[in-house]
Amino acid sequence: MKKLLLLFGIVIISIGVKDLPVSAENHKHDSQGMEQSMDHFILSQFHDEMVEAVNDYYKKEVRIQYNWWDKNYNVVEIDQFEKGNELSHPFILKFTVETYNGKKKGKLGTDTITFGVTPLEFNKGMDQKNLAASEVEFLNFTHREPGKQN
């Protein structure tokens, strides 16, 4: 059921994202309305993958938190494959999270987790039930120590 929800989310994103302006260089944190809703929706769809990537990096269970007010980064960034902007996947999603040891006992860092996403419309292979399996591939994990910028 969870994977079906993820698949549905990716389809919705792929349909709606092509009409949204996307800029990784834009550091506005005053998103409202649809943009804010889309950020929360995307985070909910990729939460488990982010937690898994963070736990794999630290080799233990770590808590993640989103800092919507930090002006040095966006919590959710989406980049789309298009002519002149060729990417490894149709969409690249970057999530920036703050990581904490246990119950916020100590900040471990600010980490950026990158996934390549291939939505339903880009997948050529259908299974026998005519269901497409969207692909989500972990691409990169970047760690910054607490208090350090890029």
Side-chain angles (χ1 to χ4, degrees):
M1 182 67 176
K2 193 177 207 181
K3 293 298 175 191
L4 183 61
L5 285 174
L6 176 62
L7 178 62
F8 175 73
I10 291 173
V11 169
I12 295 296
I13 291 167
S14 68
I15 292 169
V17 162
K18 58 185 162 189
D19 294 328
L20 292 175
V22 178
S23 171
E25 299 302 316
N26 185 0
H27 292 291
K28 289 185 178 179
H29 292 275
D30 57 356
S31 64
Q32 295 178 4
M34 189 171 90
E35 181 183 348
Q36 184 179 32
S37 297
M38 285 299 293
D39 284 354
H40 286 281
F41 176 75
I42 294 168
L43 284 170
S44 71
Q45 296 301 301
F46 285 87
H47 179 78
D48 291 343
E49 285 81 2
M50 288 188 292
V51 168
E52 182 179 339
V54 168
N55 290 341
D56 285 349
Y57 178 81
Y58 289 101
K59 306 292 187 227
K60 61 181 177 181
E61 279 194 41
V62 174
R63 264 186 2 92
I64 64 172
Q65 182 174 319
Y66 311 117
N67 185 349
W68 298 100
W69 301 276
D70 192 316
K71 298 200 184 312
N72 295 308
Y73 62 83
N74 287 317
V75 173
V76 179
E77 295 180 41
I78 303 174
D79 199 7
Q80 181 177 358
F81 183 103
E82 55 192 0
K83 188 175 181 179
N85 188 35
E86 287 79 15
L87 305 168
S88 62
H89 294 76
F91 296 94
I92 302 294
L93 276 69
K94 289 184 181 183
F95 301 97
T96 302
V97 299
E98 292 182 350
T99 50
Y100 292 90
N101 224 348
K103 295 186 178 184
K104 208 172 178 179
K105 292 182 180 177
K107 185 174 178 180
L108 298 170
T110 301
D111 302 320
T112 301
I113 308 157
T114 307
F115 296 100
V117 179
T118 304
L120 170 70
E121 67 184 82
F122 293 92
N123 272 340
K124 303 292 183 213
M126 301 288 238
D127 67 15
Q128 293 178 353
K129 295 181 183 177
N130 208 23
L131 298 173
S134 290
E135 297 176 20
V136 175
E137 180 182 353
F138 171 80
L139 297 178
N140 190 29
F141 190 98
T142 306
H143 172 75
R144 289 187 307 274
E145 292 294 324
K148 290 188 178 181
Q149 302 300 323
N150 278 4

